[in-house]
Amino acid sequence: MAKEKTQYVCGECGGTSPRWLGKCPACGAWNTLVEQAPPAAPTGGNNRLSQPQFAALAGVSELMLLSEIEAVDVARTPTGIAELDRVLGGGIVAGGVTLIGGDPGIGKSTLLLQAVDALQRAGQNALYVTGEESGAQVAMRSRRLQLAQSQVQVLAEIQLEKIIATLDSTRPAIAVIDSIQTVYSDQLSSAPGSVAQVRECAAHLTRFAKTSGTAVVLVGHVTKEGALAGPRVLEHMVDTVLYFEGDTHSSFRLVRAIKNRFGAVNEIGVFAMTERGLKGVSNPSAIFLSQHSEPVPGSVVLVTLEGTRPMLVEIQALVDNGGPSPRRLSVGLDRERLAMLLAVLHRHAGVACMDQDVFVNAVGGVRIGEPAADLAVMLAISSSLRGKPLPKGFIAFGEVGLAGEVRPAPRGQERLREAAKLGFSVAIVPKANAPKPGAAGFEGLVLHPVERIEEALAVVRGLD
């Protein structure tokens, strides 16, 4: 009896190989090839996933000059949750496809159930398709969230053809698919959650959204590394990609836009998990600032920029005797950049930490990826090493180069206005970000513009 042929499919890019390899030949990822049965060959025109079926879905359009195409802004429907609308760019877009991922139990289903209930109450027909829970479990969650007499339609189904048939018959304004990894098509032999199933099911749901005008939200699982499970092509199919961030042991959650064809990327929404679900936080800076009765060494407040929102985050540093093998550990900041900043601090400012353990933490579990945090990190390390706290109401931001220069941060004056509004009184900033004399919005804020890191440290010593 002939042995059944199999192929190996990459979980990152969907590439195939006739034999197992440690490294995917298509994308170069390691240990991502999984053995699967090859897809069955098309048997005729009745195969929904055959080439003629896809050709029929492709619309016919005429050639047009770019200057003659009318440019109109897309209409948005607010979800009723201000922080979610901020991340989405103002609300949901008809025919838009959104992919939202996050760790299990972080609150994806809770937030989406609240959003579809708010849309239903605003007169938008909403459908919630659950593949991981029964209808009774979704109802129990709605009771816990105190969504009284919710009129959201619920469908407990994982077969793609039945889901699309229901969507076609009801034509809701928004449909949530929770989750895309549980959906399967009968036309594919692979199991639900496989690369082929996730890719093809997402493609059909995306095509339905574009042709019908229904806004579709796909919930995706994440891998151990925090990336969305399944092929990366899934992120390219959709219009918006959102990630849930935060510690499940903390009551605060961040929703970050990684991709958005209808709004700004890297926008974030801040939520607090309560007994009645996720509530938006109007002043997120209060979360990321520790409440010290008196200034403590190693603590500096950074004005960071998340999308269009300036936020204040406390950077804490602890420098301690490390012995022959000192450690460098950072939480919420890039560890490699920390090592670079320590080298710059030694070479250009004469602050040596080669025999010291250095720990840096961004308070509140926020992740900071912009280089404007460099100056605050270096000042926090210097403060901890000297054992001298910085004055109360002190802030800093700015990028530091390898030559020791302090470079400007984007939208620096907006950062300063946010700090002045919250009552901060002393700031060390790049000289290029200093506002003109007499500019409005900076009342009560004493600015110290600097061009080099040694100037910044000299200013700090003068403030002791």
Side-chain angles (χ1 to χ4, degrees):
M1 185 175 179
K3 182 180 178 181
E4 183 181 357
K5 291 184 178 181
T6 60
Q7 64 182 5
Y8 293 85
V9 182
C10 175
E12 289 290 332
C13 67
T16 60
S17 172
R19 58 191 179 89
W20 186 88
L21 298 171
K23 184 178 181 180
C24 173
C27 67
W30 287 91
N31 298 322
T32 57
L33 293 179
V34 179
E35 185 178 10
Q36 290 183 8
T43 57
N46 294 328
N47 190 342
R48 295 193 55 154
L49 297 180
S50 61
Q51 183 63 29
Q53 180 71 16
F54 280 117
L57 289 174
V60 178
S61 57
E62 298 178 355
L63 288 173
M64 299 180 65
L65 293 177
L66 184 60
S67 59
E68 297 178 355
I69 301 176
E70 184 179 1
V72 294
D73 195 10
V74 292
R76 303 178 186 274
T77 303
T79 63
I81 303 175
E83 288 296 304
L84 182 58
D85 289 339
R86 170 190 287 272
V87 179
L88 292 173
I92 63 170
V93 177
V97 182
T98 301
L99 176 64
I100 181 167
D103 295 329
I106 202 168
K108 303 184 296 296
S109 301
T110 297
L111 178 63
L112 292 176
L113 189 58
Q114 291 178 249
V116 294
D117 180 74
L119 287 166
Q120 183 71 42
R121 294 178 190 276
Q124 302 288 329
N125 188 19
L127 174 64
Y128 191 94
V129 180
T130 173
E132 299 182 345
E133 299 175 312
S134 65
Q137 289 174 304
V138 177
M140 289 174 61
R141 179 185 290 115
S142 70
R143 304 296 190 275
R144 290 197 303 270
L145 300 177
Q146 299 184 16
L147 304 178
Q149 305 298 321
S150 178
Q151 300 300 306
V152 174
Q153 301 177 87
V154 177
L155 174 65
E157 182 58 63
I158 61 174
Q159 186 179 354
L160 174 68
E161 289 76 15
K162 293 181 180 179
I163 293 173
I164 291 184
T166 303
L167 291 172
D168 193 33
S169 61
T170 57
R171 290 300 174 106
I174 181 172
V176 174
I177 312 297
D178 188 8
S179 65
I180 187 61
Q181 272 84 9
T182 62
V183 179
Y184 76 96
S185 172
D186 280 338
Q187 306 303 320
L188 292 175
S189 59
S190 53
S194 63
V195 172
Q197 289 283 8
V198 170
R199 180 173 51 199
E200 299 299 342
C201 291
H204 276 266
L205 289 168
T206 300
R207 174 58 60 185
F208 175 82
K210 300 303 180 184
T211 55
S212 66
T214 296
V216 174
V217 180
L218 307 177
V219 178
H221 295 167
V222 295
T223 62
K224 291 183 292 184
E225 292 78 18
L228 281 165
R232 293 302 299 269
V233 70
L234 193 61
E235 295 186 10
H236 300 292
M237 286 183 192
V238 300
D239 300 309
T240 306
V241 180
L242 307 181
Y243 274 93
F244 249 97
E245 298 178 0
D247 188 357
T248 54
H249 302 291
S250 171
S251 60
F252 298 108
R253 306 284 190 271
L254 301 180
V255 178
R256 187 185 302 272
I258 304 299
K259 170 188 176 182
N260 193 349
R261 289 175 178 159
F262 306 115
V265 295
N266 288 327
E267 193 72 65
I268 70 164
V270 185
F271 296 88
M273 180 66 80
T274 66
E275 294 180 354
R276 296 188 59 181
L278 289 164
K279 302 296 181 183
V281 178
S282 58
N283 182 20
S285 296
I287 301 173
F288 308 120
L289 297 177
S290 295
Q291 302 298 323
H292 300 298
S293 56
E294 294 294 333
V296 296
S299 174
V300 175
V301 176
L302 161 71
V303 189
T304 185
L305 203 64
E306 294 288 353
T308 59
R309 164 187 281 173
M311 287 198 317
L312 276 70
V313 178
E314 182 177 355
I315 303 296
Q316 294 180 338
L318 177 62
V319 180
D320 197 11
N321 292 330
S325 301
R327 290 181 293 171
R328 280 85 173 91
L329 182 64
S330 63
V331 179
L333 296 147
D334 185 15
R335 187 178 304 179
E336 301 298 328
R337 195 164 187 86
L338 172 61
M340 183 193 76
L341 295 178
L342 288 172
V344 174
L345 201 59
H346 180 212
R347 180 66 179 268
H348 297 286
V351 179
C353 299
M354 69 277 292
D355 58 346
Q356 306 284 322
D357 286 336
V358 180
F359 306 96
V360 179
N361 175 44
V363 172
V366 67
R367 296 188 184 123
I368 300 174
E370 65 166 351
D374 292 350
L375 185 58
V377 171
M378 298 173 82
L379 294 180
I381 292 171
S382 174
S383 172
S384 177
L385 183 64
R386 296 166 54 232
K388 297 281 188 179
L390 293 163
K392 193 172 184 179
F394 177 88
I395 64 161
F397 63 85
E399 180 184 355
V400 179
L402 289 178
E405 77 279 12
V406 179
R407 298 179 178 179
R411 299 168 61 187
Q413 298 197 10
E414 290 186 30
R415 303 175 193 242
L416 291 173
R417 287 192 180 93
E418 178 73 10
K421 185 175 67 175
L422 295 176
F424 285 81
S425 56
V426 183
I428 293 182
V429 298
K431 189 173 182 179
N433 286 136
K436 295 180 179 178
F442 308 101
E443 292 77 11
L445 190 60
V446 178
L447 297 174
H448 297 277
V450 296
E451 291 183 316
R452 296 192 58 81
I453 182 60
E454 52 265 35
E455 293 180 36
L457 290 177
V459 171
V460 167
R461 295 188 186 99
L463 296 174
D464 291 342

